[in-house]
Amino acid sequence: LSIRRQRQMCIRDSIPAALRAVLKSVTKYTDNTGGGSTAASAVTATTDYFFLLSEYEVFGSISYANSNESSKQAQYAYYSAGNSKIKYKHDGTTTAAGWWLRSPYSSNSSIFVRVYTGGTVVSVAANTSLGFAPGFCV
């Protein structure tokens, strides 16, 4: 199994059986070439049970990711309704945390897009420690 698939199975196996029983797989489109690209052909599909959100799915626009991601995605209604993009630490619920998005930065293969603690979109080195807010479908 690929490392990505092993991680998916590990996450899925750690959730309650009742939720696991109703999970549905989701196909997501992302620049999967490793970043550093703006080509439409770099945006390909993956199918997962848990996924990080993309820059476009959260912000409804592209500032850092491959602009071709937006042609295969939609902004989630939760975010287009103006709800907060700020997430909080699990062990300090009044402390905001930066969180990863799945979109790589289009002009540098070692940088990804993330949500800053204030809820804005920024880019950051891939080796930075941040939180994550996975999506899933039931």
Side-chain angles (χ1 to χ4, degrees):
L1 292 173
S2 71
I3 291 173
R4 191 172 132 274
R5 183 59 55 204
Q6 289 174 2
R7 287 181 185 147
Q8 286 281 320
M9 291 172 63
C10 181
I11 292 170
R12 196 173 70 193
D13 290 347
S14 68
I15 64 169
L19 177 57
R20 191 169 51 240
V22 296
L23 283 175
K24 298 191 183 342
S25 63
V26 177
T27 300
K28 291 293 184 176
Y29 290 86
T30 310
D31 182 336
N32 287 306
T33 63
S37 173
T38 57
S41 61
V43 178
T44 59
T46 55
T47 302
D48 298 304
Y49 287 94
F50 291 96
F51 52 90
L52 296 180
L53 303 179
S54 73
E55 180 180 8
Y56 193 80
E57 289 169 338
V58 174
F59 292 96
S61 62
I62 301 280
S63 296
Y64 299 100
N66 181 332
S67 60
N68 291 291
E69 282 189 4
S70 66
S71 68
K72 305 248 185 196
Q73 301 173 356
Q75 184 181 27
Y76 280 99
Y78 176 86
Y79 293 110
S80 66
N83 289 301
S84 178
K85 296 164 182 73
I86 298 172
K87 306 292 183 207
Y88 295 92
K89 292 186 176 187
H90 76 285
D91 60 353
T93 56
T94 60
T95 304
W99 50 287
W100 286 110
L101 297 174
R102 75 171 183 272
S103 303
Y105 188 45
S106 65
S107 62
N108 188 319
S109 62
S110 64
I111 295 177
F112 276 77
V113 184
R114 71 158 176 144
V115 180
Y116 186 66
T117 55
T120 58
V121 64
V122 294
S123 61
V124 69
N127 63 352
T128 303
S129 179
L130 296 170
F132 68 100
F136 60 93
C137 182
V138 292

